[in-house]
Amino acid sequence: MKELLILSGSRLAELIRKREISSAEVVDAHIAQIQKVNPVLNAVVRDRFDQSRIEARQADEKTRTIPPEELPPFHGVPCTIKECFSLTGMPNTSGLVMRKNIISQYDATAVMRLKRAGAIPLGVTNVPELCMWMETYNRVYGRTRNPYNPARIVGGSSGGEGAIISAGGSPFGLGSDIGGSIRMPAFFNGIFGHKPTGGTVPNTGQFPIAENEALRYMTTGPLARKAGDLMPLLRILAGPDGEDRGCREFAFGDPLSVRIEELTIIDVEDNGWIKVDADLRNAQQKAVEYLASRGAKIKKTKIENLSKSLDIWISMLSAAGGKSFSSMLGGGKPINIFWELIKLMVNQSSHIFPSITLAIIEKLPKISPGRTKKFVEMGNQLREELVSLIGPKGAMLYPSYPKTAPFHRKPLLMPFHWVYTAIFNVVELPVTQASLGLNKQGIPLGVQIVGIHGNDHVTIALAMELEKAFGGWMPPRIGLLG
């Protein structure tokens, strides 16, 4: 049973189709692992184990009666779903206290597509309040802890997903990303994640959801313990659904067709504003050296406008318009920020401090519309510069974050370090988060792999290559997987 907890979703599906194992066995193994690790991690915040077991038995009946080639790609394989997605019968609070009694009556588009592909959701996973902070905690479910060291954060906002996948409780899961919410949890938890090209996957059925141009900045995508699952999952998730107006058709290539020796790797060691710790710089350098040994051409460079990542991200989101974060916190009416700060001081606010801080920050662009326009233009220029620099036969390696997974509450002292991931949302480029093993303290290392629009298969191919070279996900000691 332990072996089932380290296999990819694709491999589990293959074994189920061949009737070498049953879906019931696979589902039971993952349920048992969640029950074992979740009291420490607090990653899965509501389960549907009874229903999952029924669906697994139904899957096994289909395995006995339907030819293997006619079964869907992830037939009978368990997964988990980020709580901000609608999943029938599951809560959909997004960590907001006033939504704590909301139960989904339908499946979000991405959830529905995973189910049609044969996946069996085991439950929903924790998020920060309204999915807008890099540490996963809220007043509804509490705090999620890192499986490599429970004193450290799991990232946000797909933090529950990252933690439970890393701890062996799920082979893959569904996340969303508007500032790094797939990539930071994948990085901090030592797994793989993919932020698709903007507009690739419908965001329909999420709360909260972006509007206007920001529908392309916000991206739905997979997290997985094995890089090889990313492209099959992306193909299942991608394509317009008739509701998300930001979604477009993309014709993806095949990661297996990518030849490393034909690629140019752009090596960028930092953003020129926030320096990166030595162990992460060294890990990225080893990845660059390995790709060079495989025949890739290496180009080390600095990109000046990356130092303005924070201003660009805030300005482009502001220019896109839509509901204010403050009004979403207040259920349609902006919160009284001053009053909420007072309540927070006496531990009476239903909101967390980062949420109130963001409600303050979002007002800044309105104070200076000229400044906003300047940084929107700079963002558009940066998009063109990156596309030209990377090109159709290239990818960029770039830090995921300046440090390995920080200790709880530490991000409050360095609140803008997430700009390393956020900048790629507003330029709409595909990014794969790749695991590069562990440092001397046993904490995950990793790197972002950035491509041009529609070249998702290139970044995923490189993640698969680095997985082979550096070992990829290394099961943590929690749950006795390591």
Side-chain angles (χ1 to χ4, degrees):
M1 298 296 278
K2 179 179 174 181
E3 183 183 350
L4 300 180
L5 305 179
I6 61 175
L7 298 177
S8 70
S10 299
R11 177 60 176 155
L12 290 170
E14 180 185 4
L15 293 173
I16 291 169
R17 282 195 298 271
K18 291 180 176 179
R19 296 173 64 176
E20 294 182 23
I21 56 174
S22 69
S23 174
E25 288 175 309
V26 177
V27 165
D28 280 342
H30 286 84
I31 288 174
Q33 182 69 1
I34 291 172
Q35 291 173 327
K36 187 175 189 178
V37 302
N38 206 54
V40 174
L41 301 183
N42 188 35
V44 176
V45 292
R46 183 73 62 86
D47 69 68
R48 59 190 300 276
F49 294 160
D50 290 343
Q51 185 62 31
S52 299
R53 288 187 171 108
I54 292 171
E55 291 167 7
R57 291 195 294 270
Q58 292 171 342
D60 287 332
E61 180 60 30
K62 289 180 180 178
T63 306
R64 287 187 287 269
T65 58
I66 297 175
E69 63 274 12
E70 295 181 15
L71 294 170
F74 287 98
H75 176 71
V77 179
C79 69
T80 40
I81 305 293
K82 185 178 180 179
E83 199 258 19
C84 67
F85 288 91
S86 292
L87 170 58
T88 303
M90 291 286 102
N92 184 218
T93 71
S94 208
L96 195 62
V97 169
M98 66 173 54
R99 287 178 61 89
K100 65 182 179 181
N101 295 319
I102 300 250
I103 300 296
S104 297
Q105 303 301 311
Y106 68 99
D107 292 332
T109 296
V111 173
M112 177 184 64
R113 289 177 176 179
L114 285 179
K115 283 184 171 183
R116 286 180 178 174
I120 299 175
L122 299 177
V124 292
T125 54
N126 205 13
V127 297
E129 186 175 34
L130 284 180
C131 298
M132 288 298 284
W133 181 231
M134 55 164 297
E135 182 167 3
T136 292
Y137 72 105
N138 56 67
R139 303 292 190 193
V140 181
Y141 302 120
R143 189 180 304 272
T144 300
R145 301 170 190 87
N146 193 298
Y148 291 93
N149 181 342
R152 294 178 183 260
I153 74 169
V154 296
S157 59
S158 309
E161 280 300 304
I164 203 60
I165 293 169
S166 176
S170 176
F172 61 83
L174 185 63
S176 57
D177 188 318
I178 199 169
S181 293
I182 288 172
R183 290 158 289 152
M184 277 190 288
F187 167 47
F188 292 146
N189 293 282
I191 60 172
F192 294 85
H194 184 69
K195 182 206 88 65
T197 298
T200 299
V201 180
N203 293 310
T204 310
Q206 290 185 61
F207 181 86
I209 191 167
E211 298 179 60
N212 308 320
E213 290 89 349
L215 271 170
R216 297 194 308 276
Y217 306 160
M218 180 180 185
T219 52
T220 294
L223 297 91
R225 58 194 180 206
K226 301 290 185 179
D229 279 343
L230 296 178
M231 182 53 80
L233 289 168
L234 181 58
R235 292 189 191 283
I236 288 163
L237 296 170
D241 66 347
E243 294 188 52
D244 184 336
R245 290 175 296 135
C247 193
R248 298 166 287 176
E249 285 282 3
F250 283 94
F252 295 119
D254 182 355
L256 298 180
S257 71
V258 175
R259 299 176 63 85
I260 305 299
E261 65 271 19
E262 295 178 355
L263 297 181
T264 297
I265 303 299
I266 310 300
D267 179 23
V268 181
E269 69 175 23
D270 61 44
N271 65 9
W273 174 37
I274 304 169
K275 296 302 179 184
V276 176
D277 282 358
D279 56 352
L280 289 171
R281 291 201 312 271
N282 292 338
Q284 181 170 325
Q285 185 59 36
K286 288 178 181 177
V288 169
E289 291 171 357
Y290 170 75
L291 294 173
S293 74
R294 290 294 318 279
K297 179 182 177 182
I298 307 299
K299 182 177 180 182
K300 190 176 183 65
T301 189
K302 293 184 180 294
I303 301 173
E304 188 71 29
N305 283 347
L306 286 174
S307 65
K308 303 299 182 182
S309 293
L310 178 64
D311 297 293
I312 291 170
W313 185 84
I314 290 175
S315 297
M316 294 185 79
L317 276 182
S318 176
K323 299 182 184 70
S324 71
F325 185 72
S326 178
S327 67
M328 286 191 287
L329 285 175
K333 180 181 179 182
I335 61 169
N336 184 319
I337 295 173
F338 177 75
W339 180 235
E340 289 299 333
L341 285 171
I342 296 294
K343 290 198 292 183
L344 195 66
M345 284 188 250
V346 292
N347 201 31
Q348 294 300 308
S349 178
S350 61
H351 306 294
I352 61 174
F353 177 70
S355 296
I356 297 171
T357 302
L358 183 56
I360 296 171
I361 290 174
E362 73 174 346
K363 293 181 177 293
L364 298 181
K366 297 179 176 61
I367 296 172
S368 178
R371 181 179 172 85
T372 299
K373 182 180 178 182
K374 169 188 171 183
F375 285 113
V376 168
E377 291 174 354
M378 187 178 291
N380 291 328
Q381 291 167 3
L382 177 61
R383 180 189 291 121
E384 293 177 6
E385 179 182 2
L386 288 169
V387 169
S388 175
L389 182 64
I390 296 169
K393 289 283 189 178
M396 183 172 95
L397 265 56
Y398 189 66
S400 313
Y401 192 78
K403 301 176 181 294
T404 55
F407 290 99
H408 293 298
R409 302 179 180 84
K410 199 75 179 287
L412 293 170
L413 304 177
M414 39 191 184
F416 302 123
H417 284 189
W418 46 265
V419 297
Y420 270 90
T421 50
I423 189 61
F424 299 111
N425 291 84
V426 292
V427 295
E428 302 176 39
L429 298 179
V431 188
T432 304
Q433 173 61 40
S435 172
L436 295 177
L438 308 176
N439 67 8
K440 292 180 180 179
Q441 290 75 44
I443 304 302
L445 301 168
V447 69
Q448 291 186 94
I449 307 169
V450 186
I452 66 169
H453 305 100
N455 258 15
D456 299 61
H457 68 292
V458 174
T459 64
I460 290 173
L462 285 168
M464 293 166 65
E465 186 66 29
L466 293 176
E467 180 181 35
K468 288 188 291 186
F470 294 92
W473 167 64
M474 297 182 179
R477 293 176 62 84
I478 190 169
L480 302 179
L481 277 176

